[in-house]
Amino acid sequence: MSTIDWLVMTGTLAAIVTYGVLMTRKVDNVKSYLLGDKDLKWYTIGLSVMATQASAITFLSTPGQAYNSGLGFAQFYFGLPIAMVILCVFVLPIYYRLNVYTAYEYLEGRFDVRVRTLTAILFLIQRGLAAGITIYAPAIILSSILGWSLGLTILLIGVVVIFYTVMGGTKAVSVTQKQQMIVILCGMVAAGVVVVMKMPADVSFGDALNVAGKLGKLEVLDFKFDLNDRYNLWSALLGGTFLFLSYFGTDQSQVQRYLSGKSLTESRLGLLFNGIFKVPMQFLVLFVGIMVFVFFLFQAPPIHFNKANLDKVRTSEYATDLDALEEEYATINITAESASTAMVEAMQGDNEASILSAKTNLAAALDARNEIAAQVDELITTVDPDAIVEDRDYVFITFIINYLPIGLVGLLLAVIFSAAMSSTSSELNALATTSMVDIYRRSVVKDKDDAHYFTASKWLTIGWGCVALTFAAFANLFDNLIQAVNIIGSLFYGVILGVFAVAFFVKHVGGRAVLIAAIIAEIFVAGTFIATSLGYIDLAYLWLNLIGCMLTVGLAVLFQGGRSSTGEVVEERPLD
């Protein structure tokens, strides 16, 4: 990486962190530290909410997802606007009326302290695991591409995030996320423009779109109802909506963002902003991945995108086998480029017969390319049985490093680091808040002064940062990073949402019934996931959100029977 790229990357990151620290240097009490001064405008809330969800995984993994599968992944987000409207109408007014620190405080008044504690613990488990992945995922890829040690990369990301999160609390998270989101959006737009400009001179933007369309990369909607299909319209509108309802309505890392709003109206506008603009943002990220795919039709892609894996083979006894495969791969890429050029010329001449012929030849070349890549994967696993051969998460970063102009490489790396920092800081802040409010202050150390809880909040932030760093140091990649976070969330979000759904809408159910229901439902969801992983059941993970929620609600109603709830109605109270 050039000196200019280093300066752009480090300068951008340093400016964001410095801004966050300076803007929150006067935070000196537990209320401001955990909840902010409740002065954020809707656009800051909206950008902060988007930045919390849009981790580095989004910008590393999603283009690779599009590179392999096209725009179909966009369906995953179709339930988001629906969830935002439901939350704005039913959930936000309750949180604001009760003036709570965390979403789980509400559950004690509605049920009892056991339900509050259980739900908080479920959140802490899943979000603690996710925090480790959001550090580890970009770290392992950046370390491979930049030649840094993995431990150093993990430590760099983690220490910087822990520093400004500890210094300024939730407000530092929100104000830095606004700047990070602006950098992220500008960087992705720039990447999209550059990849189009890097196409051959006789291939226009329209031609690139036509090629992608002919190869099925622009197909968005899949109406087929298949429980084992992760990305179709039905899993998105049903399972996805429940996932987003739980994530944005009951996950403290998101709830904390909009509880810092200046008013209920500002928070509602912030969530609606997220619901409106998140889907187009995902289309932008996926579109960049598709343009990278088209680019690599005319420019030979690496035989394997994870260079570290190839280096292992090159220093082994199988180096000559790899050389032979690379020679064959180069020949196939020449055929692919020729077929791609022929397809463009046929489309420009509107010659359907030639288009079909070129498409057939190109499809055959791509199949042959994939077969060679599969043989390389076998070589890699022969040399290192523990190696991760799934390389789609390395596609976009490879394009950035090898084909973007000087300066823009640094900006895009800053985008990835910013995304990692923004999501991780939200998670650490939410973990510390939930630990403090729902566990430590409620059940462990009661009746201390504000200074004690303020200091304890900082130590809890550091503690969770260390937990995330430890998990990141020993974690391993899933087949696809963005799926990893969604799978972890789906194991817990449905049950948590079910508890809140009972609290909001089934008033006759009490704490004991919902507690037992939640425990049984969580065990069932975990068992279903294990059975699916072992191949006994064909079920996409998104459906776990719907199953967990409905099972929790149904069992709670069943266990309560005809008895009335003994839970107290939550009363408004001032923050102390």
Side-chain angles (χ1 to χ4, degrees), residues 4 196 573:
I4 293 176
V196 172
R573 62 164 182 78

Side-chain angles (χ1 to χ4, degrees), residues 4-334:
I4 293 176
D5 288 317
W6 275 106
L7 291 174
V8 170
M9 182 182 74
T10 56
T12 302
L13 297 177
I16 292 172
V17 172
T18 302
Y19 176 80
V21 172
L22 290 177
M23 289 294 291
T24 57
R25 63 189 183 278
K26 295 182 180 179
V27 173
D28 59 359
N29 60 83
V30 72
K31 176 184 175 182
S32 295
Y33 189 79
L34 297 181
L35 201 60
D37 296 322
K38 303 200 77 169
D39 59 355
L40 298 184
K41 300 289 287 183
W42 64 270
Y43 48 83
T44 300
I45 296 169
L47 291 172
S48 180
V49 167
M50 289 176 67
T52 297
Q53 187 186 19
S55 68
I57 297 170
T58 301
F59 302 99
L60 285 170
S61 188
T62 305
Q65 182 81 22
Y67 183 93
N68 279 10
S69 307
L71 283 178
F73 180 69
Q75 295 173 105
F76 174 77
Y77 292 92
F78 284 1
L80 179 61
I82 300 172
M84 295 302 96
V85 172
I86 293 173
L87 292 175
C88 286
V89 173
F90 296 106
V91 177
L92 262 66
I94 295 175
Y95 288 158
Y96 263 85
R97 177 171 58 83
L98 300 177
N99 208 20
V100 294
Y101 277 85
T102 74
Y104 316 112
E105 279 186 277
Y106 164 70
L107 296 177
E108 180 176 353
R110 173 61 181 85
F111 298 120
D112 54 43
V113 69
R114 297 173 302 172
V115 176
R116 172 184 179 177
T117 304
L118 173 66
T119 313
I121 289 173
L122 290 177
F123 163 75
L124 292 173
I125 293 171
Q126 70 89 11
R127 187 48 59 189
L129 293 175
I133 290 179
T134 53
I135 295 175
Y136 173 78
I140 193 172
I141 294 176
L142 289 168
S143 67
S144 174
I145 295 295
L146 300 177
W148 300 353
S149 71
L150 177 59
L152 175 63
T153 311
I154 289 173
L155 191 64
L156 175 64
I157 296 173
V159 168
V160 171
V161 171
I162 292 171
F163 170 71
Y164 73 77
T165 307
V166 169
M167 292 294 292
T170 191
K171 192 167 184 180
V173 173
S174 295
V175 297
T176 53
Q177 282 182 326
K178 181 172 68 174
Q179 316 305 322
Q180 288 161 338
M181 201 65 216
I182 292 171
V183 170
I184 287 168
L185 291 174
C186 291
M188 292 307 296
V189 169
V193 171
V194 169
V195 70
V196 172
M197 293 177 63
K198 288 281 185 179
M199 298 288 179
D202 56 347
V203 178
S204 67
F205 175 62
D207 292 332
L209 282 179
N210 285 335
V211 169
K214 289 295 182 182
L215 295 177
K217 295 293 183 179
L218 300 182
E219 295 176 4
V220 179
L221 298 178
D222 182 1
F223 293 98
K224 180 179 64 177
F225 186 85
D226 183 357
L227 291 175
N228 193 37
D229 186 0
R230 291 173 175 174
Y231 308 118
N232 60 47
L233 188 63
W234 311 112
S235 65
L237 292 180
L238 296 174
T241 298
F242 276 79
L243 174 63
F244 290 125
L245 281 172
S246 188
Y247 178 53
F248 289 98
T250 70
D251 188 308
Q252 185 61 22
S253 64
Q254 285 291 2
V255 172
Q256 200 155 336
R257 304 280 69 77
Y258 53 76
L259 286 182
S260 300
K262 189 175 183 180
S263 65
L264 174 60
T265 299
E266 296 286 347
S267 293
R268 277 175 163 166
L269 288 173
L271 274 188
L272 291 175
F273 174 89
N274 175 63
I276 293 171
F277 287 101
K278 177 65 176 180
V279 176
M281 188 191 81
Q282 288 302 130
F283 268 104
L284 169 64
V285 178
L286 289 166
F287 174 76
V288 171
I290 289 172
M291 289 297 101
V292 170
F293 168 80
V294 176
F295 171 79
F296 279 127
L297 294 177
F298 300 96
Q299 174 72 42
I303 197 168
H304 184 82
F305 282 96
N306 186 349
K307 184 176 178 294
N309 282 342
L310 291 180
D311 290 341
K312 293 177 183 177
V313 179
R314 289 197 173 96
T315 57
S316 74
E317 59 184 299
Y318 297 96
T320 54
D321 295 324
L322 178 59
D323 290 339
L325 288 173
E326 286 184 322
E327 289 181 9
E328 187 177 353
Y329 192 71
T331 302
I332 293 171
N333 279 318
I334 292 173

